[in-house]
Amino acid sequence: MTKGRMAATIVSILLTRSAFADMFYFPSEYKDVQDDRYALEIETELLQKDSKAERDKLFAEIAALRNELKIVNADHEKFRSDKGNEVARLQTQLREMERKLRENEEQSASRIKALEEKLAILRKKSGDREKELIDEHTAQEKKLRGELAALRAEATHERQRCAAELEKAHLEIENYRQMLADRKKKLEDLETQAKELEAKLKKEIEAGNLRIKRLKNKLVINMDDKILFSSGSAGLKPDILKTLDNIAEILSQNKKNSIVVEGHTDNIPIRTPRFHDNWQLSTERANSVLRAILKRTDLDPGRFSAAGFAEYQPIAPNDSHANRQLNRRVDLVIYPEL
């Protein structure tokens, strides 16, 4: 039975009792019954408001997760577009170099052919002048052949460089595509874990004592301290051990997630012989939950850590009893290996 239905039932019983109050109560007792009735009506209204606020908050977090996915997809498309443009530029540059090489080869071949024809004519002539001309043209031919060889070597080097850059660009695109696919798979695995946890912990969630939150690239299991500990204590209640075992069972199914157990308090100071301040209380509560989860031997302790944050990371203003109750919590924060 939900909180709203239970409160409505209590109010209904009190209304029925008020009709017969004169028969069973003295005037002072009747006034106490009436006061209880009004108090329950006010608490019922507050519970309904808290339930609506929590539901709205969950919807907002779901919308934020979807926006994050849109941003990742947009970044992916932009990266592919940028790399596509770079690949096209390199291919165009390579084609231009090959065109220039063909033109230079054609021009050089034409000049060599002309020189060879002139050389053939000069060889038919005699005299020192003709010999000088032959030597001159032979030197020019040698020079042109050297320039052509250098140009070919340069073009080959440039072609190899462009091909290497092209290959590197393709590799970067593939690596980024694989990285996005891995990230998507891990986020999908995290979502699957969230659904499994919601199914396993349905009773606690419906009672309003436990919440599962999806925050960008992490999953948070938010547990109120009232189901975990007695007031001012860091010892776990026996009834919560089964719930923690259910959580540990699901955590054991993914061996690469990192889990941080976080203890939080409200802003009301504590100073007892057992706890000097809220720092000590929040830290020891986190350690108690961590030890209970790690009783499963198939969990890797190296993936876990615990931390106490006292009152310095509230999820609601400490301005009412209900909000302070929300701040007194232990969070299990699950991070996928991105």
Side-chain angles (χ1 to χ4, degrees):
M1 180 180 293
T2 64
K3 286 186 177 180
R5 289 179 61 188
M6 182 173 66
T9 302
I10 295 172
V11 171
S12 175
I13 293 171
L14 288 176
L15 288 174
T16 304
R17 291 180 59 187
S18 67
F20 298 97
D22 293 336
M23 296 172 60
F24 300 103
Y25 297 96
F26 292 107
S28 61
E29 293 174 327
Y30 176 73
K31 182 178 183 301
D32 292 338
V33 171
Q34 288 293 96
D35 291 342
D36 289 343
R37 171 193 168 190
Y38 295 143
L40 282 171
E41 288 175 341
I42 292 171
E43 185 175 357
T44 298
E45 183 179 353
L46 289 173
L47 285 171
Q48 291 171 344
K49 289 181 179 179
D50 289 345
S51 178
K52 182 179 183 301
E54 182 65 21
R55 186 170 61 255
D56 293 344
K57 187 174 181 180
L58 286 173
F59 285 149
E61 291 171 350
I62 290 170
L65 190 61
R66 287 173 176 167
N67 288 336
E68 178 70 11
L69 184 58
K70 288 180 181 179
I71 292 172
V72 170
N73 288 335
D75 289 343
H76 180 203
E77 291 302 322
K78 184 177 183 302
F79 182 85
R80 290 182 60 187
S81 176
D82 291 344
K83 283 301 179 181
N85 293 337
E86 179 66 12
V87 168
R89 184 188 68 78
L90 290 172
Q91 289 174 336
T92 300
Q93 185 177 354
L94 182 59
R95 287 194 296 270
E96 181 63 19
M97 288 297 301
E98 290 174 343
R99 184 188 64 80
K100 289 182 178 180
L101 177 61
R102 287 194 299 272
E103 291 178 356
N104 287 331
E105 286 178 340
E106 292 172 357
Q107 291 175 1
S108 297
S110 177
R111 292 180 64 186
I112 290 171
K113 184 179 179 180
L115 287 173
E116 287 174 343
E117 291 174 352
K118 292 177 69 175
L119 185 61
I121 294 172
L122 290 173
R123 281 173 178 167
K124 294 179 180 180
K125 298 181 180 180
S126 59
D128 294 338
R129 179 56 184 164
E130 286 78 1
K131 186 177 182 304
E132 290 177 2
L133 290 174
I134 291 172
D135 292 341
E136 181 180 341
H137 284 286
T138 300
Q140 288 182 1
E141 179 183 356
K142 183 178 179 180
K143 179 181 178 182
L144 284 172
R145 290 184 184 277
E147 290 177 354
L148 180 60
L151 186 60
R152 282 176 175 167
E154 181 182 353
T156 299
H157 175 75
E158 187 65 19
R159 185 187 296 110
Q160 291 172 348
R161 186 187 68 81
C162 290
E165 289 188 10
L166 192 61
E167 179 64 23
K168 181 180 178 182
H170 283 305
L171 183 61
E172 288 178 358
I173 291 173
E174 184 59 32
N175 289 341
Y176 187 72
R177 185 183 294 113
Q178 184 61 47
M179 182 189 71
L180 289 177
D182 291 344
R183 179 185 176 88
K184 182 179 180 182
K185 176 65 169 58
K186 288 169 182 176
L187 291 176
E188 287 173 352
D189 290 344
L190 198 65
E191 177 64 20
T192 299
Q193 276 191 295
K195 291 178 179 177
E196 291 176 354
L197 286 166
E198 287 171 342
K200 281 268 189 182
L201 308 173
K202 182 179 180 181
K203 180 180 177 182
E204 291 83 352
I205 293 173
E206 289 180 348
N209 297 324
L210 186 147
R211 289 159 292 275
I212 296 177
K213 303 179 180 180
R214 301 160 176 82
L215 301 175
K216 293 184 179 179
N217 63 337
K218 65 182 177 181
L219 184 67
V220 179
I221 305 173
N222 172 243
M223 296 180 286
D224 290 346
D225 74 328
K226 64 184 180 182
I227 68 169
L228 294 166
F229 312 101
S230 299
S231 178
S233 169
L236 290 170
K237 293 181 177 179
D239 292 344
I240 197 60
L241 297 179
K242 177 61 177 176
T243 298
L244 294 179
D245 188 60
N246 288 337
I247 294 173
E249 180 182 354
I250 295 174
L251 294 179
S252 68
Q253 295 172 8
N254 193 316
K255 305 298 184 183
K256 293 186 178 181
N257 288 345
S258 298
I259 298 95
V260 181
V261 183
E262 299 179 351
H264 302 271
T265 69
D266 58 21
N267 66 342
I268 297 177
I270 185 173
R271 183 175 291 277
T272 67
R274 178 71 178 83
F275 301 107
H276 298 300
D277 51 32
N278 283 338
W279 286 109
Q280 185 180 5
L281 176 62
S282 64
T283 301
E284 294 201 20
R285 283 184 166 182
N287 284 328
S288 294
V289 172
L290 178 61
R291 283 192 291 269
I293 290 175
L294 290 180
K295 285 182 179 180
R296 286 188 65 100
T297 59
D298 56 349
L299 289 173
D300 177 11
R303 296 163 47 212
F304 290 79
S305 60
F309 293 93
E311 69 267 27
Y312 297 106
Q313 290 192 8
I315 58 176
N318 285 292
D319 55 5
S320 68
H321 174 76
N323 283 348
R324 285 192 292 273
Q325 177 62 60
L326 290 174
N327 291 331
R328 295 193 300 271
R329 69 196 193 277
V330 172
D331 289 342
L332 270 70
V333 186
I334 304 171
Y335 297 92
E337 185 184 29
L338 297 177

